[in-house]
mmCIF file of all heavy atoms in Angstrom:
data_model
loop_
_atom_site.group_PDB
_atom_site.id
_atom_site.type_symbol
_atom_site.label_atom_id
_atom_site.label_comp_id
_atom_site.label_asym_id
_atom_site.label_seq_id
_atom_site.Cartn_x
_atom_site.Cartn_y
_atom_site.Cartn_z
ATOM 1 N N GLN A 1 0.792 -1.215 -0.006
ATOM 2 C CA GLN A 1 0.002 0.019 -0.001
ATOM 3 C C GLN A 1 0.830 1.283 -0.003
ATOM 4 O O GLN A 1 0.275 2.366 -0.062
ATOM 5 C CB GLN A 1 -0.950 0.004 1.177
ATOM 6 C CG GLN A 1 -2.019 -1.060 1.081
ATOM 7 C CD GLN A 1 -2.974 -1.054 2.257
ATOM 8 O OE1 GLN A 1 -2.677 -0.471 3.301
ATOM 9 N NE2 GLN A 1 -4.098 -1.693 2.121
ATOM 10 N N ALA A 2 2.163 1.140 0.035
ATOM 11 C CA ALA A 2 3.021 2.342 0.033
ATOM 12 C C ALA A 2 2.934 3.005 -1.339
ATOM 13 O O ALA A 2 2.906 2.344 -2.381
ATOM 14 C CB ALA A 2 4.465 1.933 0.320
ATOM 15 N N LEU A 3 2.894 4.321 -1.313
ATOM 16 C CA LEU A 3 2.844 5.116 -2.546
ATOM 17 C C LEU A 3 4.204 4.973 -3.258
ATOM 18 O O LEU A 3 5.245 5.144 -2.620
ATOM 19 C CB LEU A 3 2.562 6.564 -2.232
ATOM 20 C CG LEU A 3 2.605 7.534 -3.411
ATOM 21 C CD1 LEU A 3 1.462 7.230 -4.348
ATOM 22 C CD2 LEU A 3 2.477 8.963 -2.865
ATOM 23 N N THR A 4 4.186 4.662 -4.544
ATOM 24 C CA THR A 4 5.412 4.540 -5.334
ATOM 25 C C THR A 4 5.394 5.563 -6.445
ATOM 26 O O THR A 4 4.414 5.675 -7.159
ATOM 27 C CB THR A 4 5.538 3.120 -5.933
ATOM 28 O OG1 THR A 4 5.474 2.169 -4.889
ATOM 29 C CG2 THR A 4 6.828 2.969 -6.700
ATOM 30 N N GLU A 5 6.504 6.275 -6.589
ATOM 31 C CA GLU A 5 6.627 7.298 -7.597
ATOM 32 C C GLU A 5 7.961 7.148 -8.305
ATOM 33 O O GLU A 5 9.009 7.121 -7.693
ATOM 34 C CB GLU A 5 6.523 8.686 -6.988
ATOM 35 C CG GLU A 5 6.687 9.830 -7.924
ATOM 36 C CD GLU A 5 6.662 11.187 -7.256
ATOM 37 O OE1 GLU A 5 6.598 11.247 -6.004
ATOM 38 O OE2 GLU A 5 6.709 12.152 -7.980
ATOM 39 N N ALA A 6 7.937 7.075 -9.632
ATOM 40 C CA ALA A 6 9.176 7.107 -10.413
ATOM 41 C C ALA A 6 9.695 8.528 -10.372
ATOM 42 O O ALA A 6 8.935 9.492 -10.517
ATOM 43 C CB ALA A 6 8.921 6.673 -11.835
ATOM 44 N N VAL A 7 11.041 8.686 -10.188
ATOM 45 C CA VAL A 7 11.609 10.020 -10.095
ATOM 46 C C VAL A 7 12.758 10.116 -11.066
ATOM 47 O O VAL A 7 13.490 9.162 -11.325
ATOM 48 C CB VAL A 7 12.069 10.371 -8.684
ATOM 49 C CG1 VAL A 7 10.871 10.490 -7.729
ATOM 50 C CG2 VAL A 7 13.086 9.381 -8.145
ATOM 51 N N TRP A 8 12.963 11.315 -11.605
ATOM 52 C CA TRP A 8 14.074 11.603 -12.518
ATOM 53 C C TRP A 8 15.320 11.778 -11.672
ATOM 54 O O TRP A 8 15.350 12.561 -10.737
ATOM 55 C CB TRP A 8 13.741 12.877 -13.297
ATOM 56 C CG TRP A 8 14.845 13.392 -14.152
ATOM 57 C CD1 TRP A 8 15.367 14.654 -14.090
ATOM 58 C CD2 TRP A 8 15.556 12.721 -15.204
ATOM 59 N NE1 TRP A 8 16.317 14.818 -15.039
ATOM 60 C CE2 TRP A 8 16.494 13.623 -15.730
ATOM 61 C CE3 TRP A 8 15.472 11.445 -15.701
ATOM 62 C CZ2 TRP A 8 17.337 13.301 -16.765
ATOM 63 C CZ3 TRP A 8 16.327 11.129 -16.749
ATOM 64 C CH2 TRP A 8 17.245 12.033 -17.227
ATOM 65 N N THR A 9 16.378 11.023 -12.031
ATOM 66 C CA THR A 9 17.638 11.090 -11.245
ATOM 67 C C THR A 9 18.677 12.012 -11.869
ATOM 68 O O THR A 9 19.757 12.147 -11.346
ATOM 69 C CB THR A 9 18.228 9.662 -11.132
ATOM 70 O OG1 THR A 9 18.563 9.188 -12.477
ATOM 71 C CG2 THR A 9 17.298 8.703 -10.454
ATOM 72 N N HIS A 10 18.333 12.612 -12.990
ATOM 73 C CA HIS A 10 19.281 13.449 -13.749
ATOM 74 C C HIS A 10 20.397 12.608 -14.340
ATOM 75 O O HIS A 10 21.503 13.096 -14.539
ATOM 76 C CB HIS A 10 19.831 14.611 -12.916
ATOM 77 C CG HIS A 10 18.791 15.656 -12.673
ATOM 78 N ND1 HIS A 10 18.925 16.972 -13.019
ATOM 79 C CD2 HIS A 10 17.572 15.584 -12.053
ATOM 80 C CE1 HIS A 10 17.886 17.652 -12.686
ATOM 81 N NE2 HIS A 10 17.025 16.852 -12.066
ATOM 82 N N ASN A 11 20.107 11.342 -14.564
ATOM 83 C CA ASN A 11 21.054 10.392 -15.207
ATOM 84 C C ASN A 11 20.207 9.425 -16.002
ATOM 85 O O ASN A 11 19.429 8.647 -15.358
ATOM 86 C CB ASN A 11 21.898 9.731 -14.139
ATOM 87 C CG ASN A 11 22.972 8.841 -14.741
ATOM 88 O OD1 ASN A 11 22.715 8.136 -15.752
ATOM 89 N ND2 ASN A 11 24.174 8.863 -14.184
ATOM 90 N N ASP A 12 20.351 9.368 -17.303
ATOM 91 C CA ASP A 12 19.532 8.482 -18.140
ATOM 92 C C ASP A 12 19.682 7.001 -17.821
ATOM 93 O O ASP A 12 18.824 6.208 -18.135
ATOM 94 C CB ASP A 12 19.871 8.735 -19.594
ATOM 95 C CG ASP A 12 19.364 10.052 -20.114
ATOM 96 O OD1 ASP A 12 18.435 10.603 -19.506
ATOM 97 O OD2 ASP A 12 19.898 10.520 -21.139
ATOM 98 N N ALA A 13 20.825 6.613 -17.214
ATOM 99 C CA ALA A 13 21.101 5.211 -16.958
ATOM 100 C C ALA A 13 20.606 4.730 -15.595
ATOM 101 O O ALA A 13 20.624 3.539 -15.306
ATOM 102 C CB ALA A 13 22.598 4.950 -17.083
ATOM 103 N N VAL A 14 20.149 5.662 -14.743
ATOM 104 C CA VAL A 14 19.759 5.312 -13.385
ATOM 105 C C VAL A 14 18.247 5.505 -13.192
ATOM 106 O O VAL A 14 17.754 6.615 -13.301
ATOM 107 C CB VAL A 14 20.540 6.129 -12.315
ATOM 108 C CG1 VAL A 14 20.117 5.747 -10.900
ATOM 109 C CG2 VAL A 14 22.039 5.912 -12.503
ATOM 110 N N LEU A 15 17.561 4.433 -12.892
ATOM 111 C CA LEU A 15 16.123 4.451 -12.555
ATOM 112 C C LEU A 15 16.010 4.801 -11.066
ATOM 113 O O LEU A 15 16.706 4.275 -10.208
ATOM 114 C CB LEU A 15 15.489 3.071 -12.793
ATOM 115 C CG LEU A 15 14.059 2.936 -12.315
ATOM 116 C CD1 LEU A 15 13.104 3.764 -13.177
ATOM 117 C CD2 LEU A 15 13.642 1.470 -12.340
ATOM 118 N N GLY A 16 15.057 5.709 -10.768
ATOM 119 C CA GLY A 16 14.798 6.073 -9.388
ATOM 120 C C GLY A 16 13.374 5.894 -9.044
ATOM 121 O O GLY A 16 12.475 6.252 -9.826
ATOM 122 N N LEU A 17 13.092 5.319 -7.878
ATOM 123 C CA LEU A 17 11.730 5.162 -7.332
ATOM 124 C C LEU A 17 11.739 5.633 -5.915
ATOM 125 O O LEU A 17 12.648 5.309 -5.163
ATOM 126 C CB LEU A 17 11.282 3.699 -7.350
ATOM 127 C CG LEU A 17 11.177 2.989 -8.719
ATOM 128 C CD1 LEU A 17 10.914 1.511 -8.523
ATOM 129 C CD2 LEU A 17 10.075 3.614 -9.532
ATOM 130 N N VAL A 18 10.718 6.382 -5.542
ATOM 131 C CA VAL A 18 10.548 6.766 -4.119
ATOM 132 C C VAL A 18 9.312 6.037 -3.629
ATOM 133 O O VAL A 18 8.246 6.098 -4.256
ATOM 134 C CB VAL A 18 10.401 8.289 -3.964
ATOM 135 C CG1 VAL A 18 10.038 8.654 -2.539
ATOM 136 C CG2 VAL A 18 11.655 9.013 -4.360
ATOM 137 N N ARG A 19 9.428 5.393 -2.477
ATOM 138 C CA ARG A 19 8.293 4.719 -1.852
ATOM 139 C C ARG A 19 8.031 5.459 -0.526
ATOM 140 O O ARG A 19 8.904 5.613 0.282
ATOM 141 C CB ARG A 19 8.670 3.267 -1.529
ATOM 142 C CG ARG A 19 9.170 2.476 -2.710
ATOM 143 C CD ARG A 19 8.302 1.405 -3.219
ATOM 144 N NE ARG A 19 7.482 0.735 -2.241
ATOM 145 C CZ ARG A 19 6.387 0.092 -2.584
ATOM 146 N NH1 ARG A 19 6.002 0.062 -3.839
ATOM 147 N NH2 ARG A 19 5.675 -0.540 -1.677
ATOM 148 N N ASP A 20 6.771 5.872 -0.387
ATOM 149 C CA ASP A 20 6.350 6.590 0.819
ATOM 150 C C ASP A 20 5.308 5.775 1.575
ATOM 151 O O ASP A 20 4.366 5.260 0.957
ATOM 152 C CB ASP A 20 5.679 7.945 0.450
ATOM 153 C CG ASP A 20 6.678 9.017 0.230
ATOM 154 O OD1 ASP A 20 7.506 9.269 1.130
ATOM 155 O OD2 ASP A 20 6.637 9.671 -0.858
ATOM 156 N N SER A 21 5.518 5.657 2.861
ATOM 157 C CA SER A 21 4.537 4.934 3.726
ATOM 158 C C SER A 21 4.565 5.602 5.109
ATOM 159 O O SER A 21 5.410 6.457 5.379
ATOM 160 C CB SER A 21 4.855 3.449 3.834
ATOM 161 O OG SER A 21 5.960 3.228 4.706
ATOM 162 N N ALA A 22 3.666 5.178 5.944
ATOM 163 C CA ALA A 22 3.634 5.664 7.302
ATOM 164 C C ALA A 22 4.911 5.389 8.063
ATOM 165 O O ALA A 22 5.251 6.052 9.036
ATOM 166 C CB ALA A 22 2.424 5.072 8.040
ATOM 167 N N ARG A 23 5.683 4.383 7.623
ATOM 168 C CA ARG A 23 6.896 3.992 8.321
ATOM 169 C C ARG A 23 8.130 4.668 7.748
ATOM 170 O O ARG A 23 9.245 4.424 8.230
ATOM 171 C CB ARG A 23 7.060 2.494 8.214
ATOM 172 C CG ARG A 23 6.022 1.749 9.011
ATOM 173 C CD ARG A 23 6.268 0.307 9.064
ATOM 174 N NE ARG A 23 5.265 -0.365 9.855
ATOM 175 C CZ ARG A 23 5.308 -1.579 10.270
ATOM 176 N NH1 ARG A 23 6.341 -2.299 9.970
ATOM 177 N NH2 ARG A 23 4.350 -2.093 10.994
ATOM 178 N N GLY A 24 7.990 5.483 6.727
ATOM 179 C CA GLY A 24 9.155 6.207 6.197
ATOM 180 C C GLY A 24 9.185 6.250 4.678
ATOM 181 O O GLY A 24 8.268 5.819 3.988
ATOM 182 N N ARG A 25 10.322 6.775 4.210
ATOM 183 C CA ARG A 25 10.552 6.986 2.793
ATOM 184 C C ARG A 25 11.757 6.156 2.369
ATOM 185 O O ARG A 25 12.769 6.086 3.119
ATOM 186 C CB ARG A 25 10.788 8.427 2.453
ATOM 187 C CG ARG A 25 9.608 9.277 2.760
ATOM 188 C CD ARG A 25 9.877 10.735 2.432
ATOM 189 N NE ARG A 25 9.771 10.903 0.976
ATOM 190 C CZ ARG A 25 10.662 11.523 0.213
ATOM 191 N NH1 ARG A 25 11.747 12.029 0.779
ATOM 192 N NH2 ARG A 25 10.491 11.630 -1.061
ATOM 193 N N LEU A 26 11.714 5.584 1.190
ATOM 194 C CA LEU A 26 12.792 4.752 0.674
ATOM 195 C C LEU A 26 13.073 5.225 -0.741
ATOM 196 O O LEU A 26 12.146 5.385 -1.546
ATOM 197 C CB LEU A 26 12.379 3.288 0.684
ATOM 198 C CG LEU A 26 13.373 2.229 0.276
ATOM 199 C CD1 LEU A 26 14.483 2.150 1.355
ATOM 200 C CD2 LEU A 26 12.714 0.906 0.111
ATOM 201 N N LEU A 27 14.344 5.442 -1.070
ATOM 202 C CA LEU A 27 14.786 5.761 -2.437
ATOM 203 C C LEU A 27 15.403 4.539 -3.030
ATOM 204 O O LEU A 27 16.448 4.056 -2.495
ATOM 205 C CB LEU A 27 15.725 6.948 -2.444
ATOM 206 C CG LEU A 27 16.362 7.309 -3.772
ATOM 207 C CD1 LEU A 27 15.278 7.749 -4.775
ATOM 208 C CD2 LEU A 27 17.398 8.426 -3.582
ATOM 209 N N ILE A 28 14.836 4.034 -4.089
ATOM 210 C CA ILE A 28 15.411 2.855 -4.757
ATOM 211 C C ILE A 28 16.085 3.353 -6.037
ATOM 212 O O ILE A 28 15.471 4.046 -6.855
ATOM 213 C CB ILE A 28 14.296 1.831 -5.109
ATOM 214 C CG1 ILE A 28 13.653 1.386 -3.816
ATOM 215 C CG2 ILE A 28 14.882 0.661 -5.873
ATOM 216 C CD1 ILE A 28 12.385 0.558 -3.996
ATOM 217 N N LEU A 29 17.378 3.022 -6.187
ATOM 218 C CA LEU A 29 18.131 3.380 -7.373
ATOM 219 C C LEU A 29 18.643 2.141 -8.071
ATOM 220 O O LEU A 29 19.054 1.184 -7.410
ATOM 221 C CB LEU A 29 19.346 4.278 -7.006
ATOM 222 C CG LEU A 29 19.042 5.600 -6.330
ATOM 223 C CD1 LEU A 29 20.339 6.278 -5.885
ATOM 224 C CD2 LEU A 29 18.243 6.491 -7.241
ATOM 225 N N GLY A 30 18.578 2.149 -9.376
ATOM 226 C CA GLY A 30 19.099 1.012 -10.139
ATOM 227 C C GLY A 30 19.893 1.533 -11.341
ATOM 228 O O GLY A 30 19.355 2.302 -12.147
ATOM 229 N N ASN A 31 21.121 1.100 -11.469
ATOM 230 C CA ASN A 31 21.988 1.476 -12.609
ATOM 231 C C ASN A 31 21.804 0.407 -13.692
ATOM 232 O O ASN A 31 22.158 -0.725 -13.490
ATOM 233 C CB ASN A 31 23.452 1.550 -12.143
ATOM 234 C CG ASN A 31 24.388 1.914 -13.264
ATOM 235 O OD1 ASN A 31 23.962 2.173 -14.419
ATOM 236 N ND2 ASN A 31 25.663 1.904 -12.974
ATOM 237 N N PHE A 32 21.318 0.823 -14.851
ATOM 238 C CA PHE A 32 21.065 -0.087 -15.946
ATOM 239 C C PHE A 32 22.143 0.076 -17.011
ATOM 240 O O PHE A 32 21.862 -0.102 -18.205
ATOM 241 C CB PHE A 32 19.678 0.166 -16.513
ATOM 242 C CG PHE A 32 18.587 -0.380 -15.669
ATOM 243 C CD1 PHE A 32 18.088 0.377 -14.617
ATOM 244 C CD2 PHE A 32 18.080 -1.653 -15.896
ATOM 245 C CE1 PHE A 32 17.094 -0.162 -13.800
ATOM 246 C CE2 PHE A 32 17.094 -2.163 -15.073
ATOM 247 C CZ PHE A 32 16.609 -1.421 -14.028
ATOM 248 N N SER A 33 23.365 0.361 -16.585
ATOM 249 C CA SER A 33 24.472 0.591 -17.496
ATOM 250 C C SER A 33 25.653 -0.313 -17.096
ATOM 251 O O SER A 33 25.785 -0.740 -15.967
ATOM 252 C CB SER A 33 24.906 2.059 -17.382
ATOM 253 O OG SER A 33 26.177 2.258 -18.038
ATOM 254 N N ASP A 34 26.517 -0.593 -18.082
ATOM 255 C CA ASP A 34 27.713 -1.337 -17.810
ATOM 256 C C ASP A 34 28.882 -0.487 -17.355
ATOM 257 O O ASP A 34 30.005 -0.925 -17.240
ATOM 258 C CB ASP A 34 28.139 -2.193 -19.037
ATOM 259 C CG ASP A 34 28.473 -1.338 -20.252
ATOM 260 O OD1 ASP A 34 28.276 -0.104 -20.224
ATOM 261 O OD2 ASP A 34 28.960 -1.921 -21.230
ATOM 262 N N LYS A 35 28.554 0.789 -17.039
ATOM 263 C CA LYS A 35 29.572 1.712 -16.500
ATOM 264 C C LYS A 35 29.011 2.315 -15.203
ATOM 265 O O LYS A 35 27.827 2.409 -15.002
ATOM 266 C CB LYS A 35 29.835 2.846 -17.519
ATOM 267 C CG LYS A 35 30.469 2.346 -18.780
ATOM 268 C CD LYS A 35 30.690 3.491 -19.732
ATOM 269 C CE LYS A 35 31.441 3.084 -20.998
ATOM 270 N NZ LYS A 35 31.002 1.918 -21.673
ATOM 271 N N ALA A 36 29.938 2.752 -14.325
ATOM 272 C CA ALA A 36 29.529 3.414 -13.108
ATOM 273 C C ALA A 36 28.768 4.690 -13.452
ATOM 274 O O ALA A 36 29.083 5.377 -14.433
ATOM 275 C CB ALA A 36 30.753 3.760 -12.238
ATOM 276 N N GLN A 37 27.723 5.008 -12.672
ATOM 277 C CA GLN A 37 26.869 6.151 -12.922
ATOM 278 C C GLN A 37 26.643 6.897 -11.606
ATOM 279 O O GLN A 37 26.571 6.272 -10.560
ATOM 280 C CB GLN A 37 25.512 5.717 -13.527
ATOM 281 C CG GLN A 37 25.613 5.002 -14.829
ATOM 282 C CD GLN A 37 26.068 5.901 -15.992
ATOM 283 O OE1 GLN A 37 25.762 7.076 -15.980
ATOM 284 N NE2 GLN A 37 26.762 5.337 -16.935
#
């Protein structure tokens, strides 16, 4: 039931999601590149 929002990370290779719930906020980052980002 946590609210999930895709967020722009200012990097085309990194997906960002913010999850909001009564217990807190979580930032999920994923690098979809074969290079450090």
Side-chain angles (χ1 to χ4, degrees):
Q1 292 180 344
L3 176 66
T4 303
E5 177 184 5
V7 294
W8 173 236
T9 63
H10 289 238
N11 185 318
D12 289 338
V14 179
L15 171 70
L17 298 172
V18 173
R19 306 249 329 158
D20 277 306
S21 76
R23 293 187 179 192
R25 299 179 76 229
L26 184 70
L27 175 62
I28 300 170
L29 298 174
N31 179 4
F32 285 85
S33 169
D34 62 353
K35 295 180 176 47
Q37 300 290 329

